[in-house]
Amino acid sequence: MNRSILSSSRDRATSGGNILNVLGLLAVCASLGIAFYYQLALKELPCPLCLLQRAGLILTGIGLMMNVRFGVRSAHYGVALAGALTTGIVALRQVFLHIAPGDAGYGSTFMGLHFYTLAALSSLAAIAGIAALLMLKSWEPPTRFPAWKSAGGKLACFLFLLLVAGNLASTVLECGAGACEDDPTYYLLLGK
């Protein structure tokens, strides 16, 4: 393969792996943003399992953001995979809690499915996507110019960090320094 084809910094910043990492990070941002919207606008506080799913989703986003910021590395994909597995395991645990006949499930639905069901499905999709990105990584020449050089990469990273900070602040307001309630109805630090 002629490696001079991808020699310019513009081409390397927009290579397939870099673009897909930015799109993956934006998908994580969309998931966190929708969950955060339901929490703030619709007053649906997340349960402890929901918070663990968000933590796994944030870990997935950190792995993808490291690829966007520092360049594509297998170790960064390992972080993203660990987050996707964490999200999937916790989401499946919550699915199994509500799988009994007559159980209406916990919380609202989005597109007809509960958030924990969507989290289980999206974590499987993330695992498959990261596996595809790892295969793509072996076909592309090493990138010395990460997607961070592009405005889209910087915007995705900034949006992700903003959503992480917002979720962290709301979790502290909801739970304080202790364990969260199983079925929260108010923010502990804001009072009833």
Side-chain angles (χ1 to χ4, degrees), residues 17-86:
N18 283 333
I19 291 171
L20 292 174
N21 277 290
V22 170
L23 290 176
L25 185 58
L26 289 173
V28 169
C29 289
S31 299
L32 287 172
I34 290 169
F36 208 38
Y37 169 78
Y38 269 69
Q39 177 181 342
L40 297 178
L42 303 179
K43 308 280 191 247
E44 289 198 15
L45 299 180
C47 67
L49 288 174
C50 299
L51 293 173
L52 286 174
Q53 290 168 47
R54 287 188 193 186
L57 196 57
I58 288 170
L59 189 59
T60 302
I62 288 171
L64 295 172
M65 186 179 72
M66 287 173 20
N67 276 337
V68 170
R69 177 62 181 97
F70 301 112
V72 176
R73 304 279 185 274
S74 298
H76 301 164
Y77 284 129
V79 172
L81 274 174
L85 284 170
T86 300

Side-chain angles (χ1 to χ4, degrees), residues 18-184:
N18 283 333
I19 291 171
L20 292 174
N21 277 290
V22 170
L23 290 176
L25 185 58
L26 289 173
V28 169
C29 289
S31 299
L32 287 172
I34 290 169
F36 208 38
Y37 169 78
Y38 269 69
Q39 177 181 342
L40 297 178
L42 303 179
K43 308 280 191 247
E44 289 198 15
L45 299 180
C47 67
L49 288 174
C50 299
L51 293 173
L52 286 174
Q53 290 168 47
R54 287 188 193 186
L57 196 57
I58 288 170
L59 189 59
T60 302
I62 288 171
L64 295 172
M65 186 179 72
M66 287 173 20
N67 276 337
V68 170
R69 177 62 181 97
F70 301 112
V72 176
R73 304 279 185 274
S74 298
H76 301 164
Y77 284 129
V79 172
L81 274 174
L85 284 170
T86 300
T87 303
I89 290 168
V90 174
L92 285 174
R93 165 77 170 121
Q94 194 164 8
V95 166
F96 291 146
L97 286 174
H98 298 288
I99 204 166
D103 189 333
Y106 181 81
S108 294
T109 60
F110 180 75
M111 298 187 309
L113 297 171
H114 289 280
F115 283 115
Y116 46 84
T117 306
L118 289 170
L121 294 173
S122 65
S123 66
L124 287 174
I127 291 168
I130 292 167
L133 285 170
L134 279 168
M135 287 185 281
L136 180 65
K137 179 186 179 305
S138 67
W139 293 335
E140 288 186 347
T143 57
R144 290 184 12 227
F145 302 98
W148 179 253
K149 303 286 184 184
S150 70
K154 289 180 182 178
L155 178 65
C157 290
F158 176 74
L159 180 61
F160 175 70
L161 291 174
L162 186 66
L163 285 165
V164 169
N167 276 283
L168 178 62
S170 71
T171 301
V172 169
L173 286 174
E174 178 184 341
C175 305
C180 296
E181 291 185 30
D182 287 340
D183 190 9

